[in-house]
Structure formats: C-alpha cells, structure tokens
Amino acid sequence: MEFPILFSTAPNSAVNIASQGQWYEGDWYWNVEVGSGNLSSSALEEQRKLMCILTELKPNPSLQDTTIWWRDSIGFSVKAAYTRLRAILNTGSVLNSSLKHCFSVLWKVPIPSNIQFFGWRLLLDQLPTRFQLFRRGVGDHLGVVCPMCFEDEESAVHLFFHCRIAVPIWSGVFAWLGIPAVVFPQSVMETFDVPIDLLQGIFKKKLRKVLWFAVTWIIWLSRNAIIFDDVRLDIPVIISQIKSILRDWLGFYNNCRIDVAREDWIVNPVDYFYWVG
C-alpha cells in the first residue's frame, strides 16, 4: 500500500474518486478526506506526497471508477513494481544503501525462490506482522501483541530477532554451530550481516546467508502455526526443524552430496561446513 497511515485514518476508505473533489469552471479540485484532528508528522508527509501525485491527475466524468496500476498505463506487472522499488533504492541515503547491499546478495543465495521472496519482503518490512497489519488499517492497537511472547508489539525485528522466544532459538542454533550468541541490532537489514561475521571461516560467504534464511523462515512458519493451527510452541522442535532444513538447502541447492546421516548432522554439522559449497 502506498499510503498506509492515511488509509488507516481515512473516515471512509471505500469511497469513489468522484466524491473526493469537484469540478469548477472546467477544472477539477481535489478535496481528499484524510481524517479529523491533528495528523502525525508521518501522516502529513504521506498527505504531501499524495497531493503531489494528485495534482497531475483528474477524473474522467465519462468513465466508471476502476482499480489500476497508475504508474504504468499498460497495467500492473512485477517488472514495473520491481523497477520502481529499485528507483527508490537509488536515492543515495544510508538506509537505501543498506537495502541495495542486502538485495545485491539476497537473489544470489542458493535457496528456493519462494524463500528468497520471503526474505525480500522481510527486508522491506512488508510481511503481514500484526504491527504491519495495524498500520494498514487491519485490526486495532490492542491486537498487535506478538503471538509468541504476548509481551511486545509484533514488529518484524521483534518477532524474528528480539522476542524472548526468538532469542533462545538463535542461541540454540549458534550453540549447535559452536559460536557465541549475540544481541541482534535494532534493524532487520543490519541482522542480515550478523551470520556473516559469526561464521567467518566456517563456510563460504554465500552459504552463510542460508543460515539467516533458515532461521527466519522456520520462525515465520512456527508463528503462523501458532496463530492459524493452534499449535503449541516448542523451541527444541523449532531448532530441530532449522537444522534439518539447513541440511536440505545446503545439499540440494549447492550441487553437493551430504555424506553424513541426518542424525549425525544434527549432532555435529561443523565438519561439513568446512568443505561445503
């Protein structure tokens, strides 16, 4: 969604375009309702951007309202959306430089493509966590609590890296690899490089990223199972799933055989890491 804060504050988000302005002496004048009261600075910035876009547009009185991809007259395409995102990332800010670095690596990590897409959404903070859903106008502020710890808002960085359930999961995986646990940064993008630093020398750089994907993916699946299937939380089981999927990805997506039984791998994977890939 382009303007999630304005959308959440709008008194009626389902109105048609024609009701948000009026014709006067042959010209169209916008009068977009964005909610009453004092808007936050973020909402005001979204309003400014919205009005900049709308100044170039006006409705056609002979046509009915339809949903369109307004950035391309041909219609929506993944290519057009990705091109727009890349253009946004090329603005030169420190934040965008970090994203560009992450994306330059993300699509090269040898894992299933759906997991790459999951990581892409995570780095952009576009996964439907409860906090993100609330920002998009779904639910209320009472429903944003993390379903794993029931203590803090379920933002992406909390769910995957700072939740009191996620922390022992990461610590368990790091202990399995014989490396110390860490306190993760407060930014999802910054966490992307943490396994690189910790696993220096254990296995090749590209494959170190596989660990980040394996842990975050299994945490996401576990979180969804708790919400939608009423599955009971079991940290040892989650860690075992991470160990197992890491073995599968390293084996099947790196054109190499794993000459070790799954049971032995789960007990001691380090010897394999030294030569994999």
Side-chain angles (χ1 to χ4, degrees), residues 81-91 100 103-104 107:
Y82 189 76
T83 299
R84 166 154 173 76
L85 286 173
R86 290 300 299 269
I88 293 173
L89 296 179
N90 286 330
T91 59
K100 285 191 286 186
F103 291 159
S104 68
W107 303 112

Side-chain angles (χ1 to χ4, degrees), residues 12-45:
N12 186 353
S13 57
V15 297
N16 59 30
I17 296 298
S19 68
Q20 297 298 291
Q22 60 183 351
W23 291 97
Y24 180 73
E25 296 183 351
D27 288 325
W28 176 260
Y29 294 88
W30 290 102
N31 183 26
V32 180
E33 295 183 54
V34 293
S36 59
N38 295 325
L39 295 177
S40 66
S41 58
S42 298
L44 289 172
E45 177 61 17

Side-chain angles (χ1 to χ4, degrees), residues 209-219 242 245-246 249:
K209 294 297 188 188
V210 178
L211 177 63
W212 185 89
F213 282 98
V215 178
T216 55
W217 175 243
I218 294 300
I219 288 176
I242 292 168
I245 201 170
L246 189 61
W249 288 353

Side-chain angles (χ1 to χ4, degrees), residues 98 101-102 105 123 184-185 187-199 205 208-209 212:
S98 299
H101 160 71
C102 293
V105 177
L123 289 169
F184 280 102
S187 161
V188 172
M189 287 180 293
E190 291 177 307
T191 69
F192 197 57
D193 280 332
V194 169
I196 289 287
D197 298 332
L198 289 173
L199 300 173
K205 184 174 182 179
R208 294 175 208 153
K209 294 297 188 188
W212 185 89

Side-chain angles (χ1 to χ4, degrees), residues 4-207:
I5 300 176
L6 287 184
F7 186 82
S8 66
T9 61
N12 186 353
S13 57
V15 297
N16 59 30
I17 296 298
S19 68
Q20 297 298 291
Q22 60 183 351
W23 291 97
Y24 180 73
E25 296 183 351
D27 288 325
W28 176 260
Y29 294 88
W30 290 102
N31 183 26
V32 180
E33 295 183 54
V34 293
S36 59
N38 295 325
L39 295 177
S40 66
S41 58
S42 298
L44 289 172
E45 177 61 17
E46 286 194 1
Q47 184 183 30
R48 184 190 66 79
K49 292 180 179 178
L50 174 61
M51 296 313 299
C52 285
I53 294 171
L54 292 180
T55 55
E56 305 174 6
L57 303 173
K58 61 182 179 180
N60 187 330
S62 64
L63 297 177
Q64 293 293 322
D65 283 355
T66 58
T67 302
I68 64 168
W69 173 244
W70 66 271
R71 297 186 182 277
D72 192 329
S73 59
I74 298 176
F76 174 81
S77 70
V78 173
K79 181 179 179 181
Y82 189 76
T83 299
R84 166 154 173 76
L85 286 173
R86 290 300 299 269
I88 293 173
L89 296 179
N90 286 330
T91 59
S93 70
V94 174
L95 174 65
N96 291 336
S97 296
S98 299
L99 272 175
K100 285 191 286 186
H101 160 71
C102 293
F103 291 159
S104 68
V105 177
L106 183 151
W107 303 112
K108 300 175 184 177
V109 179
I111 54 176
S113 58
N114 66 307
I115 310 301
Q116 291 176 326
F117 182 67
F118 158 81
W120 180 64
R121 295 182 68 194
L122 173 53
L123 289 169
L124 287 173
D125 196 15
Q126 292 300 311
L127 288 176
T129 61
R130 288 179 167 179
F131 179 73
Q132 267 296 339
L133 290 173
F134 171 66
R135 288 188 62 199
R136 300 173 191 175
V138 179
D140 56 43
H141 69 283
L142 298 176
V144 300
V145 66
C146 173
M148 295 180 71
C149 71
F150 297 101
E151 294 175 358
D152 295 295
E153 291 183 344
E154 193 200 26
S155 64
V157 72
H158 166 80
L159 173 66
F160 293 102
F161 304 102
H162 296 293
C163 174
R164 68 175 175 84
I165 304 301
V167 169
I169 292 172
W170 281 101
S171 297
V173 173
F174 286 152
W176 173 60
L177 296 172
I179 54 181
V182 298
V183 176
F184 280 102
Q186 293 296 324
S187 161
V188 172
M189 287 180 293
E190 291 177 307
T191 69
F192 197 57
D193 280 332
V194 169
I196 289 287
D197 298 332
L198 289 173
L199 300 173
Q200 188 71 34
I202 293 184
F203 61 119
K204 292 185 177 181
K205 184 174 182 179
K206 186 187 296 184
L207 303 188

Side-chain angles (χ1 to χ4, degrees), residues 176 210 214 240-254 256-266 269 272-273 276:
W176 173 60
V210 178
S240 295
Q241 291 172 336
I242 292 168
K243 294 175 181 179
S244 182
I245 201 170
L246 189 61
R247 177 185 185 274
D248 292 340
W249 288 353
L250 291 176
F252 290 106
Y253 287 88
N254 291 284
C256 57
R257 292 172 57 243
I258 300 179
D259 294 324
V260 60
R262 188 176 296 271
E263 294 77 11
D264 296 331
W265 157 266
I266 289 176
Y272 169 70
F273 280 140
V276 68

